[in-house]
Amino acid sequence: MTATIAPYRPPQQDGGDGFAPLLHAEWTKFRTLRGWVIAIVIAAAAIAVVGVLLPASGQSHCGSRSGAACLALVPTGPGGEAVNDSYYLAAQPLAGDGSITVRVTSLNGLISAGNGGFVGPNSPPPGTMRPGLVPWAKAGIIITGSTRPGSAYAAMMVTGSHGVRMQYDYTSDIAALPGPVSAASPRWLRLTRSGDVITGYDSADGRHWTEVAAVHLAGLAGTVRAGMFTTSPLDFTPNFPTYAEPGGSLSASVATGTFDDVDLRGGAPGGRWAGQNVGAIGANYAGPRIGLRQAGGRFTVTGSGDIGPVVAAGVNNIFITGTLADHLFGVFIGLLIMIVIAAMFITVEYRRGLIRTTLAASPRRGRLLAAKAVVIGLATFVLGSAAVAVAVIAGSRIAHDSGIYVLASGWPIEVRVILRTGAMLAVASVLALSIGAMLRRSVAAVAAVVVVIVLPYILGVSGVLPASASEWILRVTPAAGFAVEQSVPQYQQVVGHYGPPDYYPLAPWSGLAVLCVYAAVALGLAAWLLRRRDA
Amino acid sequence: MTIARHGLPLPAGTARTERALAGLPDALRAEWTKLRTAPGTAWILAAVCVLTIAVGAATAAATRCGGGTGCSIDPTKVSLTGIEAGQAVVAVLAVLVISDEYSTGMIAVTFTAMPRRWTVLAAKAVTLTSLVLAAAVVAVAGSLAAGRLILAGNGITAAYGFAVVSLAHGPTARAALGSVLYLALVGLLSLGIATIVRDSAAATGAVLGVLYVPPVIALFLGGEPTWQRWAERYTPMDAGLAILNTTGLRDLVISPWAGLGVLAGWAAAALLAAGLLLRLRDA
């Protein structure tokens, strides 16, 4: 018979074995190294100072006014967002409920030939425009609260190359019948109003109708305008296909929609269709073609401009716009310093043999790593968020005062961007700490964290790579975390340059999730190695 | 008392202290022995090759061109993307060459044996450069071969007007030679900075900061084209990597060789400052 002898285990001691003393010990180690504290404060200062100072240059001018006074001219939609609202409208008043039905038989357009870099209304001389239709040229019917730019509206339309759409209140876009419109395959469109609810229908034959959507437009006036409209955004031909750097030529465009079988119900008896160039400042073509022509029951409406939200680096923007991301340039520099410190937070213990003392004091190695992760994560989150808050809040106010329209500003968005970016810095620091714990040597760890986190970001945003490669890098590497800087949504119905610094291929939280996966895997691997290896 | 040195009898008297870089062969042999026998060196050189080729190959694999027309891809530049990653490893090697001696106290022994500090620095620079050049040749050749195979598989072929990655193509040969020299110059710049900073981790951070921060700053200076052009023309990485371009040379803010010259200037300045500080400071 064999007796098993239990090995001697010292009795558990109170106070010495908990997680809190471990945290306190690690915090003391971090806080008492003057070089690290200075470095992390420099990191935070870089985020704040660069974010406030770097973009704050220049002053916008509009007529005799300049700076923030110009911003009063920017139309804003029902949701408070900046919008483009320029089109040619042929409309009648519609009091109370009613409907409008039309048949669209064609949508044609002209594009100014070779007008690189031009923005703003112009009138190209005759003969310099070639036939062509931009993808988001629009012709259709609209019910709008008023002809003041930024009014609530709902519209059914045919487009240049995106089929029939129903759009309302600038940001919403619903796909309906596909395919282009022509005399051989016309499109019937209908909008009905019942109180605040507008319902859109389309049909390919005028008999069988499909409801596209019923939308609620808050606060629609009793008497609205119902009619036909046409508009055509600037033509954009990218010529430098990198992800980060927008490049291409912009050309004025104008489109003409042809309508017949027009049926307005609920309008004033014997009402006439009155033409109006709504929001003419946003039209990119101002030549003589613009207008309404009527022959029998056939209407041709010719217009230029766009109805839709303003996006950062959108081709149709007529005002200088900015985003919160413009003030986050310094985050990259702050991140570089923070991850170097995070990696060294563990590697320096190996250099001087302190790790043996540390492990003698707290033999549970997983816990030790967790304590270090909490300390470095909290320190970078708190300092990083504070610095980002200064950059975003002060930076966007300064930009606003110099006449830059900051898209998607306001407290809820600012707070989200601040906390997300702080979290990104913290998670990246934990990833760096884990790499440090795995590699144990300062030089190797510092180089590794820079190559793993910073280099992909540079390759992704600097435009040295083709767009496809940059986009891929910003999806699958830890640099995906930089997506947290995005504050403005992408709209597929608006042509623009959807690349850094304003846009990333992943949504903010998805990008942060990618970084978190890397950090979690690295932390797990580091804990496993720490347990398995001799110190 | 005479000190016998490895293989060389000590010259008599004080007549040996004539030239500025006297004793360079001895110093070279000493540095070569140190670098050769350090356990990490072979691994780091292998890492330069593997990382450069892997990043270049991954980038080439992610490079698509819808239908093959209408996009301006520079196949050589895409294939050599890995240089941007490989240079970090070169920097690590260069930092270790000097910082390791400071962290272990070996530097005191080195300077006792070879009191001429310029000679020591020159010897370190020469040994480092020869190793980096050897690794860079492998890395660049491997990257170009990988890029040639992968890009062709992605439809980036001569049929669509893209230059095939081949050393027979003049600009590609220049990019290949230039990127080998680029890595060597990054090594020298790193050696200079590390000698100035001394601490290994801080030196690595400083070198990588000098390399990687200006390109991003330049990117965000888009609203100030003058500053942006200045940054792209005179910062070590942006200017030096101009050598990678084989297409669109007319649009470059600095010509390929001039860009490499700017990097060489940075490296020379760093080494000069390092040498002066070595002379002035106590080890």
Side-chain angles (χ1 to χ4, degrees):
Chain A
M1 182 180 161
T2 53
T4 41
I5 300 163
Y8 171 75
R9 296 226 186 273
Q12 292 279 317
Q13 285 181 354
D14 288 348
D17 200 35
F19 193 58
L22 201 52
L23 273 182
H24 185 251
E26 291 304 329
W27 167 241
T28 309
K29 276 186 217 168
F30 181 79
R31 154 181 85 75
T32 50
L33 260 179
R34 200 187 300 150
W36 287 358
V37 175
I38 292 174
I40 207 160
V41 167
I42 289 176
I47 294 174
V49 171
V50 172
V52 171
L53 294 186
L54 194 57
S57 55
Q59 181 95 348
S60 68
H61 298 274
C62 45
S64 60
R65 294 188 285 181
S66 70
C70 295
L71 299 179
L73 300 175
V74 180
T76 53
E81 71 285 347
V83 298
N84 288 311
D85 196 12
S86 301
Y87 55 101
Y88 198 86
L89 174 69
Q92 293 189 25
L94 175 66
D97 296 348
S99 75
I100 178 170
T101 307
V102 298
R103 183 173 80 147
V104 188
T105 56
S106 75
L107 174 60
N108 301 309
L110 292 171
I111 295 174
S112 171
N115 211 352
F118 145 82
V119 180
N122 83 341
S123 166
T128 63
M129 297 191 83
R130 59 183 166 82
L133 198 56
V134 298
W136 283 102
K138 300 165 182 172
I141 50 177
I142 187 168
I143 289 180
T144 176
S146 76
T147 53
R148 180 185 55 79
S151 307
Y153 76 95
M156 287 293 304
M157 66 201 71
V158 299
T159 60
S161 52
H162 296 276
V164 174
R165 319 290 291 200
M166 179 171 183
Q167 296 186 351
Y168 61 97
D169 281 0
Y170 305 95
T171 53
S172 301
D173 173 47
I174 302 162
L177 280 173
V181 65
S182 66
S185 79
R187 296 280 182 260
W188 280 262
L189 309 174
R190 177 179 291 163
L191 284 172
T192 64
R193 179 191 180 188
S194 170
D196 283 354
V197 177
I198 311 266
T199 313
Y201 303 87
D202 64 359
S203 166
D205 56 13
R207 289 190 302 277
H208 303 92
W209 291 86
T210 311
E211 181 183 322
V212 180
V215 301
H216 182 262
L217 302 185
L220 205 57
T223 300
V224 295
R225 317 268 304 169
M228 295 155 279
F229 78 97
T230 303
T231 193
S232 179
L234 278 167
D235 179 49
F236 176 60
T237 312
N239 61 5
F240 191 65
T242 72
Y243 189 53
E245 286 177 60
S249 55
L250 296 171
S251 308
S253 82
V254 61
T256 302
T258 310
F259 305 85
D260 56 16
D261 290 353
V262 179
D263 177 16
L264 177 70
R265 295 186 185 174
R272 281 177 42 80
W273 296 100
Q276 184 182 354
N277 201 3
V278 176
I281 188 174
N284 56 71
Y285 169 87
R289 293 184 180 85
I290 297 283
L292 164 69
R293 284 159 197 84
Q294 191 173 351
R298 193 161 163 275
F299 299 82
T300 59
V301 179
T302 303
S304 172
D306 196 14
I307 311 177
V310 171
V311 300
V315 299
N316 241 52
N317 294 358
I318 52 172
F319 298 96
I320 303 175
T321 60
T323 66
L324 299 183
D326 294 342
H327 308 286
L328 296 176
F329 304 161
V331 167
F332 155 78
I333 301 169
L335 176 87
L336 182 64
I337 301 173
M338 283 177 181
I339 58 177
V340 167
I341 294 171
M344 288 169 67
F345 191 34
I346 184 141
T347 57
V348 292
E349 295 212 12
Y350 282 98
R351 197 169 107 203
R352 296 272 183 243
L354 179 63
I355 191 75
R356 287 190 282 276
T357 314
T358 304
L359 290 176
S362 65
R364 297 184 175 182
R365 300 186 172 187
R367 275 185 165 203
L368 170 73
L369 195 62
K372 279 192 180 289
V374 168
V375 167
I376 198 73
L378 274 181
T380 49
F381 176 75
V382 170
L383 268 171
S385 304
V388 171
V390 172
V392 160
I393 294 170
S396 61
R397 300 298 180 278
I398 293 173
H400 177 272
D401 289 343
S402 56
I404 295 168
Y405 192 95
V406 181
L407 299 168
S409 57
W411 285 109
I413 294 168
E414 285 175 2
V415 169
R416 274 204 295 276
V417 167
I418 290 164
L419 294 182
R420 277 199 308 241
T421 310
M424 188 270 282
L425 290 168
V427 175
S429 299
V430 171
L431 172 58
L433 172 77
S434 312
I435 293 175
M438 284 190 255
L439 297 180
R440 301 199 277 196
R441 289 206 55 174
S442 296
V443 178
V446 168
V449 300
V450 171
V451 167
V452 167
I453 303 171
V454 173
L455 180 66
Y457 172 70
I458 295 173
L459 290 177
V461 305
S462 69
V464 295
L465 295 182
S468 51
S470 299
E471 213 174 312
W472 178 80
I473 283 175
L474 290 175
R475 275 177 194 279
V476 304
T477 66
F482 279 92
V484 297
E485 295 182 0
Q486 296 170 102
S487 58
V488 282
Q490 302 189 13
Y491 294 103
Q492 53 136 7
Q493 74 268 33
V494 181
V495 174
H497 168 70
Y498 292 109
D502 297 317
Y503 299 98
Y504 287 82
L506 290 179
W509 292 110
S510 318
L512 188 59
V514 169
L515 181 61
C516 285
V517 168
Y518 275 101
V521 170
L523 194 61
L525 207 56
W528 182 70
L529 281 175
L530 196 60
R531 254 195 230 117
R532 212 173 140 269
R533 290 190 301 207
D534 208 1
Chain B
M1 177 175 154
T2 53
I3 301 161
R5 286 204 292 175
H6 182 71
L8 281 176
L10 198 66
T14 57
R16 65 193 172 91
T17 61
E18 297 301 324
R19 287 184 301 127
L21 291 181
L24 189 59
D26 287 357
L28 276 176
R29 186 173 305 147
E31 291 303 330
W32 170 242
T33 307
K34 273 192 262 181
L35 200 53
R36 183 170 56 82
T37 55
T41 307
W43 287 108
I44 294 173
L45 291 174
V48 171
C49 301
V50 170
L51 192 64
T52 305
I53 296 171
V55 170
T59 310
T63 298
R64 296 269 190 287
C65 191
T69 52
C71 54
S72 65
I73 288 171
D74 183 339
T76 303
K77 192 176 176 185
V78 168
S79 310
L80 290 173
T81 305
I83 296 288
E84 301 202 23
Q87 64 179 350
V89 189
V90 169
V92 168
L93 180 65
V95 167
L96 287 178
V97 162
I98 182 88
S99 296
D100 249 10
E101 297 210 15
Y102 278 103
S103 67
T104 56
M106 173 75 171
I107 195 75
V109 180
T110 300
F111 285 150
T112 309
M114 298 179 287
R116 296 176 176 283
R117 299 190 173 185
W118 278 104
T119 311
V120 172
L121 186 62
K124 284 188 184 295
V126 171
T127 24
L128 171 73
T129 304
S130 47
L131 280 184
V132 172
L133 282 175
V137 167
V138 177
V140 168
S143 299
L144 290 176
R148 182 184 170 127
L149 287 173
I150 295 168
L151 286 175
N154 280 358
I156 316 287
T157 58
Y160 291 110
F162 295 108
V164 175
V165 178
S166 153
L167 288 179
H169 178 232
T172 301
R174 178 186 59 212
L177 173 64
S179 39
V180 170
L181 295 177
Y182 175 87
L183 287 178
L185 288 171
V186 165
L188 291 175
L189 173 66
S190 310
L191 177 67
I193 294 176
T195 310
I196 297 166
V197 177
R198 295 188 183 186
D199 177 71
S200 58
T204 314
V207 168
L208 298 182
V210 166
L211 288 176
Y212 290 137
V213 171
V216 178
I217 301 267
L219 177 70
F220 288 127
L221 285 173
E224 303 280 338
T226 328
W227 284 99
Q228 189 178 30
R229 254 202 312 282
W230 189 90
E232 286 175 355
R233 211 177 274 169
Y234 298 117
T235 56
M237 178 171 147
D238 264 340
L241 285 179
I243 198 77
L244 296 187
N245 290 288
T246 62
T247 62
L249 296 178
R250 229 170 283 160
D251 297 333
L252 292 180
V253 294
I254 188 162
S255 74
W257 286 117
L260 206 60
V262 168
L263 175 62
W266 279 91
L271 283 176
L272 191 67
L276 288 174
L277 280 175
L278 268 188
R279 284 292 302 268
L280 293 174
R281 287 193 301 206
D282 208 0

